């Protein structure tokens, strides 16, 4: 490459840094956060391939190869926990993924700014409530003896329903609780995407006689399709992750067979019994599967839609 080609390129880089250096300064705190709390701790995954001992430390603990992974795959609980994790995650994705989109579409159609802001605030509030409080609310609402739902059933002469101890109903409780807590907060992304839609498109559609549903179908949804696809890819990538707090707090001896997922399993078998290497192996296994699903989903998205996360 000749100097005559390099020099203009170097000058353009100098101009770029001179014009935007302050933006890169703002990036430093975020980069430090990810380096310190995300990338450096990744060295800890070596525990999954060692017989970790707290006294010896990570460096001096002996290597055992795939011992903990072999134990995981041969465990009698592995397939049950895998099935529970996938089934609960699929239920959540099918039921809770469309919920923020539907709420955002309804909020976007509101004409009263004051009413829209009030509804947004009400919908966002559950996101800031901890799972401990939400589970306490569920226990009070769904209690077979004092819960308001079963109170009305008794008044109608019906038998109470044991929602939290019935293995056939606990998953529905988990999904509904997830929707109530997270749907309102999830609308933020979709609402932000909708603000970038050109208002003239709606005006032209109204002049042509398009109904409200037709404007949603042919203008709103196509304009935010890239946002929907990106969020769907990220959701599929977290298919093996169901969270810990909600399931751990709601499970009991009568429902653990159908709600125990990898997060609870690794805590119960790994951390409670001091088997830190095994717990790390479980976490690494779920992370690898999630990463593979993310790449596969992104690949098909680029093939079908022409774009993806990268």
């Amino acid at each position: 490459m000749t100097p005559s080609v390099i020099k203009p390129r170097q000058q353009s880089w100098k101009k770029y840094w001179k014009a935007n250096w302050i933006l890169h300064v703002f990036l430093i705190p975020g980069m430090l956060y990810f380096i310190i709390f995300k990338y450096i701790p990744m060295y800890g995954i070596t525990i999954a391939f060692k017989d970790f001992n707290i006294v010896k430390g990570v460096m001096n603990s002996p290597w055992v190869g795939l011992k903990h992974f072999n134990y995981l795959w041969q465990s009698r609980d592995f397939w049950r926990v895998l099935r529970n994790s996938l089934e609960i995650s699929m239920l959540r994705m099918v039921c809770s993924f469309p919920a923020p989109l539907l709420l955002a579409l309804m909020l976007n159609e509101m004409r009263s700014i004051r009413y829209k802001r009030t509804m947004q605030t009400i919908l966002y509030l559950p996101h800031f409530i901890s799972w401990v409080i939400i589970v306490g609310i569920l226990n009070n609402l769904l209690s077979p003896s004092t819960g308001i739902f079963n109170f009305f059933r008794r008044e109608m002469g019906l038998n109470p329903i044991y929602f939290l101890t019935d293995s056939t109903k606990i998953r529905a409780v988990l999904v509904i609780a997830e929707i109530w807590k997270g749907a309102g907060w999830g609308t933020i992304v979709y609402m932000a995407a909708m603000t970038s839609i050109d208002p003239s498109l709606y005006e032209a559609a109204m002049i042509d006689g398009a109904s409200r549903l037709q404007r949603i179908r042919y203008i709103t949804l196509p304009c935010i399709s890239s946002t929907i696809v990106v969020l769907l890819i990220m959701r599929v990538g977290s298919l093996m992750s169901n969270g810990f707090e909600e399931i751990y707090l709601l499970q009991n001896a009568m429902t653990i067979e159908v709600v125990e997922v990898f997060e609870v399993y690794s805590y119960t078998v790994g951390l409670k019994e001091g088997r830190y290497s095994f717990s790390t192996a479980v976490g690494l296994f779920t992370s690898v599967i999630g990463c593979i699903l993310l790449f596969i989903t992104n690949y098909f998205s680029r093939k079908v839609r022409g774009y993806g996360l990268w």
Side-chain angles (χ1 to χ4, degrees):
M1 193 175 291
T2 61
S4 60
V5 176
I6 296 175
K7 189 174 181 180
R9 187 173 295 177
Q10 291 176 343
Q11 290 177 349
S12 64
W13 273 104
K14 289 180 179 179
K15 290 181 180 179
Y16 171 80
W17 283 102
K18 186 176 181 180
N20 301 287
W21 68 271
I22 189 65
L23 298 177
H24 293 82
V25 171
F26 285 122
L27 284 174
I28 292 176
M31 294 175 64
L32 289 175
Y33 168 79
F34 279 99
I35 291 172
I36 296 173
F37 296 103
K38 301 295 182 179
Y39 288 101
I40 293 179
M42 287 179 68
Y43 175 75
I45 66 175
T46 57
I47 297 175
F49 306 95
K50 292 187 172 187
D51 192 3
F52 177 67
N53 187 290
I54 297 179
V55 178
K56 294 180 180 179
V58 178
M59 297 293 293
N60 297 322
S61 295
W63 292 92
V64 293
L66 298 177
K67 170 186 173 182
H68 303 293
F69 293 95
N70 291 330
Y71 178 83
L72 172 64
W73 297 325
Q74 295 172 8
S75 172
R76 62 182 179 86
D77 295 322
F78 170 74
W79 295 107
R80 175 179 59 83
V81 175
L82 177 62
R83 184 180 65 252
N84 290 342
S85 299
L86 292 176
E87 289 179 353
I88 293 175
S89 189
M90 288 297 296
L91 280 172
R92 283 178 163 178
M93 186 170 66
V94 171
C95 299
S96 65
F97 181 79
L101 176 60
L102 295 175
L103 284 176
L105 291 173
M106 289 188 288
L107 289 172
N108 190 55
E109 293 299 316
M110 292 182 180
R111 295 293 173 257
S112 174
I113 302 299
R114 179 178 297 179
Y115 186 68
K116 179 189 291 188
R117 291 177 178 174
T118 302
M119 291 304 299
Q120 285 178 318
T121 303
I122 294 173
L123 292 171
Y124 295 165
L125 282 177
H127 173 77
F128 301 99
I129 302 175
S130 70
W131 276 116
V132 176
I133 297 175
I134 289 179
V135 171
I137 294 173
L138 291 175
N139 282 322
N140 289 325
L141 289 176
L142 304 178
S143 171
S145 57
T146 60
I148 186 171
F149 184 83
N150 283 310
F151 170 78
F152 287 110
R153 287 185 61 85
R154 286 194 301 271
E155 291 295 316
M156 293 185 291
L158 301 174
N159 295 325
I161 299 176
Y162 294 80
F163 291 98
L164 301 181
T165 57
D166 191 337
S167 59
T168 63
K169 297 179 176 60
I170 187 64
R171 289 183 176 180
V173 175
L174 290 172
V175 173
I176 293 172
E178 174 74 17
I179 295 173
W180 179 61
K181 189 177 190 300
W185 183 256
T187 60
I188 293 176
V189 179
Y190 293 114
M191 291 292 291
M194 291 176 187
T195 57
S196 63
I197 301 175
D198 188 355
S200 62
L201 296 175
Y202 292 106
E203 295 172 0
M206 292 174 65
I207 293 173
D208 291 338
S211 64
R212 182 167 295 184
L213 290 177
Q214 289 175 326
R215 294 197 297 271
I216 293 174
R217 180 180 178 182
Y218 295 106
I219 298 177
T220 307
L221 291 177
C223 288
I224 65 172
S225 61
S226 59
T227 303
I228 297 174
V229 170
V230 169
L231 293 178
L232 179 61
I233 293 172
M234 296 176 66
R235 184 66 185 86
V236 174
S238 61
L239 197 65
M240 296 293 290
S241 176
N242 287 282
F244 172 77
E245 296 89 349
E246 176 191 8
I247 295 177
Y248 182 76
L249 292 170
L250 281 175
Q251 74 175 11
N252 51 65
M254 301 181 68
T255 60
I256 192 171
E257 288 293 321
V258 296
V259 299
E260 188 177 27
V261 294
F262 278 112
E263 290 87 350
V264 178
Y265 178 70
S266 62
Y267 171 77
T268 304
V269 178
L271 298 181
K272 276 189 173 182
E273 298 178 5
R275 299 165 59 186
Y276 304 108
S277 296
F278 179 76
S279 179
T280 306
V282 174
L284 182 58
F285 169 77
T286 57
S287 298
V288 170
I289 297 300
C291 187
I292 293 173
L293 291 173
L294 181 65
F295 276 92
I296 292 174
T297 310
N298 186 74
Y299 172 79
F300 281 106
S301 175
R302 293 188 65 85
K303 286 291 184 180
V304 176
R305 303 291 300 183
Y307 51 82
L309 285 177
W310 61 87

